Structure formats: structure tokens, C-alpha cells
Amino acid sequence: MDFEFTEDQVMLRGLMREFLSEQCPVSHVRAMMDDPRGYDRDLYRRLVQLGVLPFPEEYGGGALGMIEQAIVLEEMGRIPYPGPYFSTVILAGSAIMASGDSRAQARYLPDICNGDLTMTLAFLEDGISWGPDGISLSMAREGENYRLDGVKRFVPFGQSVDVILVVARLGGERGAEGISLVAVPTDAPGLVIEPEVMMDLTSKTATLRFDGVHVPAENVVGSVGGGWPAVEIALRQAAVGASAEMLGAARKSLEMSVDYAKVRKQFGQYIGQFQAIKHKLAEMLELVENAHAAVYYAAWALDAGAPDAVLAASVAKSTVNVAARRVCGEAIQVHGGIGFTWEYDLHLYFKRAKHLEPLYGDTEYHRERVLQEALAGRVAGSV
Amino acid sequence: MDLSYTPQDQAFRQRVRAWLAENVPRQKLTTMEEKKAWHRKLYDAGFIGMGLPREYGGRDARPMEQAIVGEEMVRAKAPPPLNGLGIAIVIPTLIHHGTEQQKRRFIHKLLTAEELWCQLYSEPNAGSDLASLQCRADLVGDEFVINGQKIWNSGAHEADWGLLLARTDRNAPKHQGISCILVDMHTPGVEVRTLKQISGSEEFCEVFFTDVRVPRENLVGELNAGWQIAQTTLSYERGGNTLSRYARMLQQVTRLLDVCRVLQRNGRPAIEDPVVRQKLGQVYAEMEVLRYASLRILSRLERGLRPGPESSIAKLHYSELDKRVQELILDVLGPYGQQVGGIPDELALEPGVAYGETGSWMYAFLWSRAGTIYAGSSEIQKNIIGERVLGLPKEVRADRVAAQVASAASGDGAD
């Protein structure tokens, strides 16, 4: 039983912190807020070439586990890093790995690992549902091709990645049966990409309209009609990964608040001397430390294939959703008026955390999952 | 980072589990004699004070082994041992600060519960501000003469000995005039009254001292060094074995899930009501986070790190969480959650429990209000976290200002 990071994990955290603070200062983050693509390709390539990737070494990845991915993402949340790392590696990459499709892995992963290929996963449609029932974008066989029709919304970096992994339905109306993963290049005829303007300007998303988009059959990733299990795994890793990123945003907001409470004076004393502020900061630390425990327990459980891995992932997302909301929000309260200005950086974290809160399952979705797992007895054995 | 249990830990757990299955009393323990016999059995099996060094009657057990025993005791519904506070507070105090003679005289009999102990710290006017205590111990010849009142002394009515904090120098600044003294509770002039709590039970006491004479050799550590001694050992009371708290919560929540399959709400089993399901999912998730956080503390202890100010985060967490959990249980159960007499067996936490006895939803609910007060209230924990973990500047305090004014007035001008 050891909950502390290994030396390698501590080094990885140091590497990421150094790289991001040097290469991705807040001036860059703010520049990307106004950039229609939303990220700098060169920076993205350098980031990926650090080798901080979960993919096997034969494809050029670092074979990192989920604990290491969480460390990387927590550091990104502290910036907050603007770019398609999450969409490429955690969403699309996890789905490709989980599909078990070695042909697709050989086709996409090497380019992902050297930074030449950015990807994303198109999942949500008009309604908000994180189960297979929410998928209705249709997929139909036409000769050697598949034809795609439908709408995807809130696709991370859908306007500026190279290839979109689309979750589509081949026959049927509900359930996991028929769900397939199809890779669609962003320049495919019939695909209309409409950038969305969202609260968090550092996380670009787009609406994708598929109107008779034709892709060759070889673009299907995994088995035709049997793609749901891979999607589910990718969404679970995304839930834990998003939790890690939110944890980073929350811890950074707390640190800024503590620093501020030590220098800001009102009524002739530092505001950190007032219990109203001191106690709030203590509560924020409790939330952050519990969020840390939840994120890294879940990451370990996924890596170890623990019997409570599904439970732990949902515990993590539902816990961090609430913790990040409170910590990033209270940080603004501790700062007062300055925290409400565009110029001050707190809103970047507040918005990044809020951006991730409803994605890959909101609090209510994951609480329901927690209960289902508990009732089914898929919990940690004490032995 | 590896959160799996080692094969040795798993084997140890199996041995503990097997021993408990064989030895846990089937009948409820009612008399002190029965409770002492059970305690002695646990001691002989090596489960009492097991983390202590062997020279003091312990087993040098690792924190993980202690946690496993605590967890398995709850799981087996084993009656708790006696002298919990004595083992957690008195023994570390004696080991760190006591004389050889005190160690030999007291530790073994405390561990075996031949002698029962209580803590004599709080006073009616010294709660969170413990250092303002007024109970006096005047050194007269070779004896302390003790006068004053203590309160919130768990188990004082059954105790043979008490660990007392008393003022031995009324002229010194308040933190520097306190001493730590071992008091025989059977000495003439010691009067103990039980206090009835909101739970209906009577564990807490008030203790009155009237010219109680205690030999000087019962002083622990230096004269007037009692505050520092209490500080080093109070943290043992906080954040210690949170895994067994998790185990107890798990027992309650598991029972709650069963009850929700039977209890009807709005014409269907409560477990099918989406609002109830949200609450159950929330409580289960919060409880799991307590387990993860407990494992994190445990893994630090395993590395030999002592519980520092971070133990205040754990104390704040589990005590506040317990209140949330108990409130939520009562939400889900409606009036049944408050029922003791006449509650249908299939809805009860444990059947056949009377008002004021452990084992009802109500009793657990009411006790959750105590956890955020004793062993340093949540407000005190937040001060500790703010000042000693986050490094925030200390608050302006009237007693500190008064001390500065007094020292400035006396002309020494010390800061």
C-alpha cells in the first residue's frame, strides 16, 4: 500500500511543470483564446514529442499508465493548456487502443506519437446522454463505403484537428448494438463544421453536420456494430482524465487564493487572518486533497484492473465536479473584485473546470453509476 | 504508487478475521466484568496497543496491521475494547514524557484494562481555548492539592485513573503555567457526575476536585510543561484510524441500501426512486473518498511519517462527512429514521434497540453532532489547517493582545 508518487512520477510532474511554464505562459493561453484554431501546432508537437503518451513503445508512445496520464493532465489544468492533447490522446487514442484493432492502431498511433496527427472523438448529439441510447447519427453501407448522416455537438477541437473519430449507429435505434467508430477526415465532402462559441475560450468545440458523408470501409475502427465497449472505456478514461485536469485547475486556484490572502490587507490586517477567509481556504484545501485522493485512486484502479475501477472512476468525476466548482468559485470570492476581472487569470481556471464539469458524465450521471456499481457488488474487496 | 494490499497484509487479515469469527461474543456484553474479559482476550491475542514497542507491551505492529484489525473488528461487529482514549493518549504521553517508574507502574495495567483511564482536560470555561483552564494544582510540600472542575470526561465514572491538565503557576502566561498530572480517581475529594447527552446515553462526565491530594511523583514531565506535552499527544486523537470509521459507515450504508429495497416511497421501493438514488449515489461516493483518503494517510504512516497538522484535514473530513451522511440517511428514511421504539425490524439499523442505546439510525444521527466538537472542533481544525498547513498569518486574538499590553505595561517591552 503506497499512495505516494514514485520517483519517476515526481520527475514526470516536474518535467511537465517546467515545460508548460516555459513554453505555454499565460500570454500564450490568452493568445489562443482569440485564435480560431485554438492552439499552436508547433507547441502541440513539442508537447507530444516529450513522449508523455499512453501508447505502446512500438508505435512511439511512452506506454504511460493512467496515473501518469493524470499527472500530465493535472499539470495541464494548472495552465490551463489550450490544445487537442486531451481529444487526441485521451478520447480518440483511448478508443483506438480499446478497440483492439491492430490495423487501426498501426495506421493512427505512430502519427499521433510524432505529433503529425491530431484527432478527436465526436460523441454528443442534440440531446445530452452519455450512454449508447444517445447515439443516432446513422451509418449505412453503400458499396465499399459507409455513408454518415446526422449531427454531432460539442466536439472538442472539432474545427481544428485532422481526423474525427465519429461514434455512429449502424441499424437499431437504441442500445449498444450497432454502435461503430468511424474515422472521418475534417475535409471530407458533406461534412460541415461550425465552430461553437463557448464560455471557456481555451477549449474550442464545434458542431459537425454530416450530410451524406462517404468514408471507405477501412475507416471503421474496431468491429462494425461492436464499437460500444471501446467507446465506454474511452469515456471512462476521459472522466478520470477530466477529473485530473479539473484538480489541477482547482489546486492552482487555491494556491493563488492563499498567496493573495497573505498579502491583501483590509481593516488593517491581512485578509488571511480573518476566520471568514482562513476557514474558507481550509475547506478548499480539504476539497482539493480529497479530489487528489479520488483522482489518483481511480487512475490506479484503472491501471490495476481493480474490481472497483468503474465505481472509482465515477466516484472521482462526481467528487471532483463538486470540488472544482466550489474551489474555483470560492477563489473568486476570496479575491473579491479583482477576481472578477478579465485581466486576472482566475477565470481561466474557473471556466476550464466548468467546461469539463458536464462532459463525460455530470455529477448526477456518475452518482447514479456509483449506486449501480455498489448495488451490483462491484466494490473493492477488503482482501 | 501501488494501492494493493501485500500478500502478507492479506494473510494477516485472514488470520484476524478467522480469530474474530471464533471469538467474538455472541451475547451483548452488559457488565464491566464481561467487557474486561473480552478486552483481556483481545489483548492476549495481540490486538490491543499493537503499534506500541514490545518493551511496553505492544507488538511493534505496522500502521497497516493496526488498520486491518480496526476494520475487521467493525466488520465482525466485535464489541470495542476498553481504554480507547487511554491507549491513544495516555500511553504515548507516558512513553514520551513519563518517568521509568511511571511507565512500569501504569502502562501494562492500562493495556490490559486492569485499570481504566479517562482524560481530564476540558473545563466549563475552557473548551476550544483549552489553555485558559483554571483547575488548580498547588504544590504543597510533596503533594499537589487540586481544586476545580473538569467536564466532557468520557468514562470518568468508571475510571480508576485520570490524565489531568491543571494550572500550577497562575502568574505565568497561560500556556506556560499548566502541568500534566496522573490522578487516582478514587482519591478523597474527587466527585464524578455523569452527563446525559442528546443521544439519551451517559458517557460524558463532570469531575469535581475539592482539596484532592496527589503525590508529586505523579507529575508527568517538567512542572509547567503540560501544554507542550498535551500538544504532542492531542494530535494522536485526530485523524488516527479513519479506516475503521469508513468500515462503520459502510455497514450503515449497506444496511440503508437493503432497507431501501423494502421501504416504499411514493408507491414503489425507495431504491427505484430517482431522487433517492441520487442521494444514495452521493453518500456512497463520499464514503469511498473517505476510504481513499484514509489509505493515503495510512500509506504515509507506513513510511514512518508522524501525524502532523495534516491530521486536522482528516479529522475535519470524517467528522463533517458523518454529519452529511447521517442527515442524508434520515432524508431517505423519513420518520422511520427517527423511530426507535416500534420500528419494524426490516427498516431498523439493528433490531431491538432502545432509546439511548447504540444501534439505531437516530443514535448514529445524534452522535454525528458530537464528532465536529470533540477532539478539537471543526473551527479549531480550520484554524490549524489555515495557519499550520497553508501558512496563513495568525488571527488577531484578544488574549494575545492582552498579553502584549501587559508585558509592555510591565516595562520589559518583549514582543
Side-chain angles (χ1 to χ4, degrees):
Chain A
M1 179 68 58
D2 189 1
F3 218 125
E4 304 294 306
F5 289 145
T6 63
E7 263 179 50
D8 284 350
Q9 288 162 349
V10 171
M11 273 174 55
L12 172 64
R13 185 176 59 186
L15 170 76
M16 288 308 299
R17 190 163 299 184
E18 196 182 314
F19 176 87
L20 289 169
S21 63
E22 276 175 14
Q23 312 258 334
C24 189
V26 74
S27 55
H28 174 76
V29 177
R30 285 176 178 269
M32 290 303 109
M33 287 160 66
D34 299 327
D35 184 297
R37 291 175 56 85
Y39 72 103
D40 178 83
R41 189 75 189 221
D42 286 339
L43 172 60
Y44 175 81
R45 188 171 280 123
R46 289 197 300 278
L47 177 60
V48 169
Q49 286 172 352
L50 289 173
V52 291
L53 298 168
F55 311 117
E57 282 163 13
E58 57 181 301
Y59 300 123
L64 296 189
M66 197 65 214
I67 296 172
E68 286 77 15
Q69 284 300 298
I71 290 171
V72 168
L73 290 165
E74 183 179 346
E75 290 304 316
M76 290 182 174
R78 293 175 62 95
I79 299 300
Y81 168 71
Y85 179 90
F86 193 97
S87 70
T88 304
V89 175
I90 304 294
L91 290 172
S94 298
I96 291 168
M97 283 300 295
S99 73
D101 181 339
S102 55
R103 191 191 45 82
Q105 289 166 3
R107 179 171 171 189
Y108 298 110
L109 297 182
D111 284 344
I112 288 180
C113 290
N114 64 30
D116 287 343
L117 176 66
T118 54
M119 290 186 75
T120 192
L121 185 77
F123 183 86
L124 280 183
E125 301 187 359
D126 288 340
I128 299 159
S129 168
W130 294 99
D133 291 352
I135 304 300
S136 60
L137 186 139
S138 79
M139 171 179 176
R141 184 94 194 195
E142 282 189 1
E144 292 303 300
N145 295 327
Y146 283 102
R147 178 193 162 123
L148 301 173
D149 290 279
V151 177
K152 290 289 180 183
R153 292 189 184 272
F154 308 113
V155 179
F157 288 92
Q159 58 269 67
S160 50
V161 294
D162 306 317
V163 173
I164 298 156
L165 203 52
V166 179
V167 183
R169 178 175 290 284
L170 182 79
E173 282 180 0
R174 295 170 69 81
E177 182 94 25
I179 300 289
S180 310
L181 282 161
V182 190
V184 181
T186 34
D187 56 3
L191 172 60
V192 177
I193 299 175
E194 301 164 357
E196 296 156 350
V197 179
M198 300 294 290
M199 181 168 72
D200 175 18
L201 293 170
T202 69
S203 300
K204 304 297 184 199
T205 61
T207 298
L208 309 184
R209 298 187 190 280
F210 295 79
D211 185 10
V213 173
H214 284 80
V215 289
E218 65 188 39
N219 280 24
V220 174
V221 172
S223 69
V224 176
W228 178 251
V231 174
E232 199 175 23
I233 289 169
L235 290 177
R236 187 174 308 135
Q237 299 198 353
V240 175
S243 301
E245 208 174 306
M246 294 161 86
L247 168 62
R251 199 182 278 282
K252 176 76 180 184
S253 299
L254 170 62
E255 288 169 7
M256 289 172 70
S257 304
V258 170
D259 288 346
Y260 188 73
K262 289 176 182 174
V263 297
R264 169 75 173 171
K265 276 189 165 180
Q266 288 287 275
F267 303 102
Q269 55 177 305
Y270 298 109
I271 62 169
Q273 290 179 276
F274 292 111
Q275 288 193 350
I277 301 295
K278 184 174 289 173
H279 288 191
K280 196 187 288 294
L281 292 169
E283 289 162 15
M284 289 159 71
L285 178 67
E286 183 203 340
L287 288 165
V288 166
E289 293 301 343
N290 286 339
H292 174 101
V295 164
Y296 287 98
Y297 183 92
W300 168 81
L302 287 178
D303 280 344
D308 60 335
V310 176
L311 173 78
S314 286
V315 168
K317 187 61 163 49
S318 62
T319 299
V320 182
N321 269 357
V322 174
R325 169 194 291 207
R326 274 200 54 202
V327 172
C328 296
E330 293 285 36
I332 295 177
Q333 184 68 21
V334 168
H335 279 77
I338 187 78
F340 191 67
T341 61
W342 189 265
E343 180 192 1
Y344 207 78
D345 294 334
L346 270 182
H347 70 111
L348 304 181
Y349 307 107
F350 182 69
K351 290 171 182 172
R352 174 62 67 88
K354 186 53 87 179
H355 166 75
L356 292 169
E357 198 179 306
L359 298 182
Y360 323 117
D362 61 12
T363 307
E364 286 69 31
Y365 171 85
H366 282 290
R367 284 179 178 162
E368 170 64 27
R369 290 301 308 263
V370 165
L371 181 66
Q372 286 172 15
E373 293 300 303
L375 290 172
R378 287 187 290 267
V379 298
S382 49
V383 175
Chain B
M1 211 184 124
D2 179 5
L3 304 182
S4 48
Y5 290 94
T6 64
Q8 293 94 309
D9 290 336
Q10 292 182 31
F12 178 73
R13 187 187 291 278
Q14 290 303 345
R15 285 204 301 281
V16 174
R17 192 172 286 184
W19 187 90
L20 288 168
E22 195 129 304
N23 290 284
V24 167
R26 291 184 179 80
Q27 303 290 325
K28 199 168 178 180
L29 306 180
T30 48
T31 68
M32 182 52 79
E33 213 164 60
E34 288 170 346
K35 289 176 188 171
K36 283 191 173 179
W38 167 238
H39 180 103
R40 182 72 203 208
K41 211 168 188 180
L42 286 168
Y43 174 79
D44 290 338
F47 298 150
I48 301 292
M50 54 194 292
L52 298 169
R54 282 179 193 278
E55 55 180 312
Y56 299 119
R59 304 242 164 175
D60 279 320
R62 289 184 297 113
M64 175 57 82
E65 292 170 321
Q66 300 171 59
I68 287 172
V69 170
E71 215 180 342
E72 290 298 319
M73 292 265 294
V74 173
R75 193 181 166 278
K77 297 202 163 94
L82 297 166
N83 263 346
L85 210 58
I87 291 162
I89 307 270
V90 179
I91 293 183
T93 302
L94 290 175
I95 288 178
H96 290 300
H97 307 285
T99 63
E100 267 317 298
Q101 209 223 330
Q102 285 169 345
K103 292 176 192 172
R104 277 201 306 277
R105 165 64 187 83
F106 294 111
I107 291 180
H108 181 74
K109 287 192 164 154
L110 191 160
L111 273 179
T112 55
E114 280 168 77
E115 290 174 343
L116 300 180
W117 280 75
C118 66
Q119 189 187 29
L120 303 164
Y121 282 14
S122 297
E123 295 180 9
N125 289 317
S128 288
D129 184 12
L130 183 59
S132 69
L133 58 89
Q134 292 302 322
C135 179
R136 287 161 46 190
D138 301 324
L139 199 50
V140 179
D142 280 346
E143 289 180 327
F144 289 107
V145 179
I146 300 168
N147 281 286
Q149 184 193 347
K150 292 288 169 179
I151 196 168
W152 316 127
N153 316 110
S154 311
H157 58 306
E158 293 167 330
D160 302 298
W161 285 88
L163 183 69
L164 173 77
L165 286 183
R167 190 156 300 283
T168 38
D169 183 348
R170 270 175 288 166
N171 298 318
K174 69 181 196 178
H175 293 92
Q176 290 160 34
I178 296 170
S179 295
C180 184
I181 300 167
L182 309 171
V183 179
D184 181 345
M185 296 295 284
H186 306 295
T187 314
V190 177
E191 189 196 341
V192 181
R193 292 182 208 156
T194 56
L195 278 170
K196 192 166 181 173
Q197 295 107 225
I198 63 171
S199 54
S201 54
E202 300 183 20
E203 287 90 355
F204 292 153
C205 302
E206 304 176 277
V207 181
F208 298 85
F209 296 91
T210 312
D211 293 329
V212 175
R213 293 182 169 268
V214 175
R216 183 180 178 144
E217 69 201 40
N218 284 14
L219 174 71
V220 180
E222 300 284 314
L223 192 68
N224 296 326
W227 182 253
Q228 288 71 26
I229 292 171
Q231 284 300 295
T232 56
T233 48
L234 256 184
S235 68
Y236 286 89
E237 201 183 350
R238 298 175 190 140
N241 199 349
T242 49
L243 260 191
S244 57
R245 292 172 202 277
Y246 162 79
R248 196 160 297 121
M249 212 174 267
L250 175 64
Q251 236 166 25
Q252 284 184 25
V253 171
T254 304
R255 176 65 184 157
L256 178 67
L257 297 182
D258 288 341
V259 168
C260 283
R261 292 183 168 103
V262 181
L263 176 67
Q264 297 283 310
R265 276 188 79 115
N266 302 316
R268 59 181 168 186
I271 198 75
E272 292 172 17
D273 181 329
V275 176
V276 169
R277 290 180 73 86
Q278 274 300 303
K279 294 184 176 195
L280 295 174
Q282 179 188 348
V283 78
Y284 206 97
E286 289 213 54
M287 189 176 72
E288 285 301 291
V289 175
L290 176 64
R291 187 169 73 85
Y292 310 156
S294 305
L295 293 176
R296 193 171 171 210
I297 294 169
L298 195 54
S299 105
R300 286 197 186 151
L301 292 173
E302 286 274 292
R303 288 181 165 223
L305 303 169
R306 307 255 18 110
E310 288 83 3
S311 63
S312 287
I313 301 174
K315 202 271 172 176
L316 181 66
H317 179 206
Y318 71 67
S319 61
E320 292 290 342
L321 171 61
D322 193 33
K323 285 201 294 203
R324 289 199 296 278
V325 169
Q326 301 301 337
E327 291 285 4
L328 197 139
I329 290 173
L330 261 63
D331 278 352
V332 170
L333 296 179
Y336 289 111
Q338 300 174 43
Q339 186 177 12
V340 186
I343 184 171
D345 281 359
E346 68 269 23
L347 302 182
L349 177 57
E350 288 173 29
V353 171
Y355 202 106
E357 271 181 16
T358 178
S360 69
W361 300 113
M362 178 210 83
Y363 190 83
F365 167 73
L366 290 170
W367 261 104
S368 73
R369 307 307 306 189
T372 55
I373 301 169
Y374 64 61
S377 67
S378 290
E379 289 70 25
I380 292 293
Q381 305 304 339
K382 288 177 195 173
N383 279 350
I384 295 172
I385 295 165
E387 292 174 11
R388 294 203 243 150
V389 182
L390 294 176
L392 293 168
K394 286 185 186 298
E395 63 185 305
V396 176
R397 269 176 29 186
D399 57 348
R400 286 193 193 128
V401 172
Q404 279 166 9
V405 169
S407 75
S410 70
D412 61 12
D415 187 10

